[in-house]
Amino acid sequence: MYIKNLSLSCLLLALTASSVLAAPKTRKTEVYPVQVVRSADQKEDIKEIGALMNNSLNAWNEHRLNDLIKAYAQDFKTQDGSDLSKVSQNLKKLWLQYPDVKIVPQAAQLYVYGEYASLTLNEFSTGTGRKGENGIPADGTSNLRVWTSGYTHLKKVNGNWKIVSEEVFEEEMWQYYGTVAEKLLLDGKVKLSLPGNVIAGENYIAELSYDLPENIKGLALIERVNESAEAKVDLNEEKRQKDLSSLRRPIEFSAERGLRRLFAANQENRDELVVGQVELVSLEGKSPRLVGLLGVSRRVVPRPKLQPENPSKETKAQNSSFKEEALK
């Protein structure tokens, strides 16, 4: 269960500030299907870790933030340095936007070694927005689907197991409105392709491809958000919307069905979220009408660039000797 999971989803579609945070209805209890891969015969520890993870999972699904936080160490950090305060704020935004969002665990592998443990987790999350919110027509709702894979690291703190860090190595998110958008999603007709991991400061390409029905056209765009910029978005929403308008491209039947953008990864090792969005317009009837919105986003994790060590004179001489031998 990733406390950071979905933390940037509110940036894909507009978040309505007037919403009221409400607890979801009681749901069935979810349990991680844990497979113990490695342990030094620590049966009690395995039992305690299982209880901790299952309790925190159900606290997440029932949107009980105070109970969820109890599973985490006070010095908890995500892979890009976000602390408990930061990710708690993001969770509140997510739960506000999707009041029924929940995590359905898919698989988990547990490694225990002394006072440390790691879990590899695969999770699928779903949620439905309130009617007429998240930037869609008044009679519709937005839907959320997310696939996440990563690691959760634990440590025994004062005799109790706590989650000390989390790292996501794959995350793909879909947000959509309308039956046309849902069908395109299920049929794999709209895809966002890009590397999940990149070297900090280096360039990478994001490609949004789409294959739409003949009677559908509209606008498409690719944008990027990183965690360090998130706080500035609300303050500069008017400028952001203006910038987005310049990025939108009309979808023409004769044009290549796709968009590409080149990005330079940040050098602060902050996770980035690349979003591809398609606005679907029907040409049937007397005038064009909006029939759907579809957004696909993927997390990009910049990794530090390793600096090669300067080889010693002895190493250089040895390498030269090897090279001479190879050329003989």
Side-chain angles (χ1 to χ4, degrees), residues 34-40 42 44-50 52-53 109-121 150-157 160-167:
V34 176
Q35 174 191 2
V36 179
V37 178
R38 173 186 171 188
S39 71
Q42 297 172 256
E44 285 302 314
D45 289 323
I46 293 172
K47 183 178 178 181
E48 291 176 15
I49 292 171
L52 174 75
M53 296 302 297
Q109 292 184 321
L110 174 63
Y111 301 78
V112 185
Y113 31 94
E115 295 187 346
Y116 296 87
S118 292
L119 277 159
T120 60
L121 302 177
Y151 295 108
T152 292
H153 303 292
L154 304 96
K155 180 183 178 181
K156 238 178 183 180
V157 180
N160 297 312
W161 285 98
K162 297 289 183 181
I163 300 171
V164 294
S165 67
E166 292 173 343
E167 51 183 312

Side-chain angles (χ1 to χ4, degrees), residues 79-80 168-171 192 194-199 202 204-206 224-226 263 265-266 269-274 297-303:
Q79 63 201 31
D80 64 351
V168 176
F169 53 78
E170 182 180 0
E171 182 179 76
L192 180 65
L194 71 165
N197 293 272
V198 296
I199 302 300
E202 294 194 356
Y204 64 93
I205 294 176
R224 176 184 61 175
V225 181
N226 61 60
F263 295 108
N266 71 82
N269 304 323
R270 289 280 182 181
D271 287 9
E272 301 179 352
L273 193 73
V274 176
S297 59
R298 294 185 62 184
R299 185 178 296 275
V300 178
V301 182
R303 301 295 187 184

